């Protein structure tokens, strides 16, 4: 029986908004490639009814979901079980609706491992032993710190406009950083340090029309400068990076890689991300229809 004939398991991306999410397309490509029988749709959740909407989806036979803004914290809170990386992030982008007998719903956060894989595998840039600057201390940054530390960077500096938020994130990750021998500290945007090997922008600054929130001294020549966004929202940062001798990279690879990790958690099979990333890249960079 081909996957087209078998009953399909249902998954979705839950968020508000979700209309522009690329996740259904990415998961459809994964399902096709691996021969898994699943449907993946969009679940628009009212801002005050995330839990009820997701529970209704599960009651109708849904097997799991990805979670996007602004519900990653709620998703984490409502699960019966959490992976260690979700615990560190205090936020979840993936739920698997395991039965009570299996221990109940599992929350995971695949954003960080997705970013680490995009940097180390797709971009071919090592993180082990490197000096890394993470700009921002919101949900996006919280999701990636644990996997960065586990990847063995030498130093991780978290620079944020509101330094208290960076302090809180650093305090939460202090033990794991010590275990991995990673120097972990906070910094201001005005004085974040110099000549990092890898600079990651996890702020929403571009969405408010503001420029890059740190000076170019943070880039060593040839550094990797990655914005977690993609499309027009990442363009200003990428232009800045290239103007200052760094290699710019957007968040599309991270998006595909975090999806692959979620897919693997649900289905027990890890898709090959390279052809999917190529296809998504072509789609995102195609000229808009007139
Ligand atoms: P997300 O979940 O996408 O990370 P968030 O939790 O609202 O969203 O976090 C947004 C991040 O972008 C924060 O680090 C925020 O800085 P503050 O903690 O000081 O608010 C940062 N940010 C947003 N607009 C910014 C701007 N114009 N300049 C610098 N940092 C900005």
């Amino acid at each position: 029986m081909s996957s087209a004939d078998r009953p399909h398991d249902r998954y979705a991306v839950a968020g508000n908004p979700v209309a522009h999410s690329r996740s259904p397309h990415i998961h459809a490509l994964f399902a096709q490639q691996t021969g898994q029988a699943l449907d993946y749709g969009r679940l628009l959740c009212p801002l005050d009814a995330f839990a009820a909407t997701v529970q209704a989806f599960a009651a109708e036979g849904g097997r799991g979901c990805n979670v996007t803004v602004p519900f990653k914290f709620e998703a984490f809170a409502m699960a019966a079980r959490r992976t260690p990386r979700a615990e560190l992030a205090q936020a979840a982008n993936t739920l698997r609706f395991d039965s009570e007998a299996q221990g109940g719903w599992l929350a995971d956060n695949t954003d960080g491992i997705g970013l680490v894989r995009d940097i180390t595998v797709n971009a071919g840039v090592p993180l082990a032993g490197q000096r890394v600057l993470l700009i921002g201390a919101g949900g996006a940054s919280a999701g990636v710190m644990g996997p960065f530390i586990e990847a063995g960077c030498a130093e991780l500096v978290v620079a944020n406009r509101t330094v208290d938020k960076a302090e809180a994130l650093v305090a939460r990750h202090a033990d794991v950083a010590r275990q991995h021998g990673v120097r972990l500290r906070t910094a201001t945007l005005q004085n974040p340090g110099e000549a990092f090997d890898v600079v990651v922008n996890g702020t929403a600054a571009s969405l408010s029309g503001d420029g890059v929130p740190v000076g170019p001294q943070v880039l060593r020549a040839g550094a990797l400068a990655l914005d977690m966004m993609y499309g027009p929202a990442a363009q200003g940062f990428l232009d800045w990076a290239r103007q200052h001798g760094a290699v710019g990279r957007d968040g599309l690879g991270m998006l595909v890689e975090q999806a692959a990790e979620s897919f693997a958690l649900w289905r027990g099979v890890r898709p090959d991300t390279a052809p999917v990333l190529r296809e998504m890249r072509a789609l995102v960079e195609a000229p808009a229809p007139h």
Side-chain angles (χ1 to χ4, degrees):
M1 210 164 44
S2 83
S3 66
D5 305 323
R6 276 179 274 146
H8 283 204
D9 291 331
R10 292 176 62 207
Y11 298 87
V13 54
N16 187 339
V18 281
H20 298 291
S21 171
R22 305 269 181 186
S23 292
H25 193 155
I26 294 171
H27 282 278
L29 292 173
F30 288 164
Q32 196 178 38
Q33 182 199 93
T34 58
Q36 293 280 311
L38 63 88
D39 289 326
Y40 187 110
R42 293 184 173 85
L43 202 58
L44 177 64
C45 305
L47 290 176
D48 59 354
F50 169 73
T53 309
V54 171
Q55 275 154 355
F57 177 63
E60 288 160 13
R63 300 287 301 273
C65 65
N66 283 127
V67 181
T68 185
V69 284
F71 300 122
K72 291 184 182 184
F73 305 103
E74 266 186 81
F76 173 80
M78 75 187 288
R81 297 177 299 148
R82 293 118 180 203
T83 61
R85 59 195 182 197
E87 288 284 0
L88 272 175
Q90 300 273 296
N93 75 334
T94 308
L95 290 172
R96 194 178 68 194
F97 304 149
D98 292 349
S99 67
E100 294 289 327
Q102 290 168 310
W105 287 18
L106 177 69
D108 195 5
N109 192 316
T110 66
D111 287 332
I113 192 66
L115 179 57
V116 166
R117 281 190 70 97
D118 184 55
I119 292 173
T120 58
V121 180
N122 298 342
V125 172
L127 282 170
Q130 304 289 287
R131 296 183 58 240
V132 179
L133 174 65
L134 180 60
I135 313 166
S141 292
V144 304
M145 282 179 66
F148 266 40
I149 291 167
E150 281 163 11
C153 51
E155 183 178 13
L156 178 59
V157 177
V158 185
N160 197 42
R161 184 174 61 182
T162 312
V163 177
D164 286 359
K165 279 167 68 179
E167 295 283 2
L169 276 188
V170 163
R172 196 155 88 219
H173 290 78
D175 282 348
V176 67
R178 210 171 300 118
Q179 285 157 22
H180 287 84
V182 176
R183 293 192 302 279
L184 177 63
R185 67 176 175 87
T186 61
T188 60
L189 294 176
Q190 293 70 35
N191 194 14
E194 288 179 17
F196 289 90
D197 303 298
V198 176
V199 174
V200 173
N201 185 20
T203 73
S206 65
L207 295 183
S208 49
D210 290 342
V212 176
V214 293
Q217 80 280 1
V218 300
L219 301 167
R220 73 150 165 76
L224 177 71
L226 186 148
D227 196 306
M228 289 198 220
M229 299 197 190
Y230 63 89
Q235 200 56 51
F237 184 84
L238 299 183
D239 292 343
W240 169 86
R242 287 165 191 153
Q243 277 157 17
H244 294 99
V247 177
R249 189 169 181 85
D250 70 5
L252 195 62
M254 175 187 180
L255 180 74
V256 171
E257 293 294 340
Q258 63 78 32
E261 293 292 328
S262 298
F263 192 93
L265 183 81
W266 294 324
R267 310 302 297 182
V269 44
R270 197 174 196 291
D272 178 8
T273 50
V276 176
L277 179 52
R278 271 199 301 276
E279 186 161 341
M280 296 310 295
R281 173 73 58 206
L283 196 74
V284 166
E285 289 178 2
H290 291 289

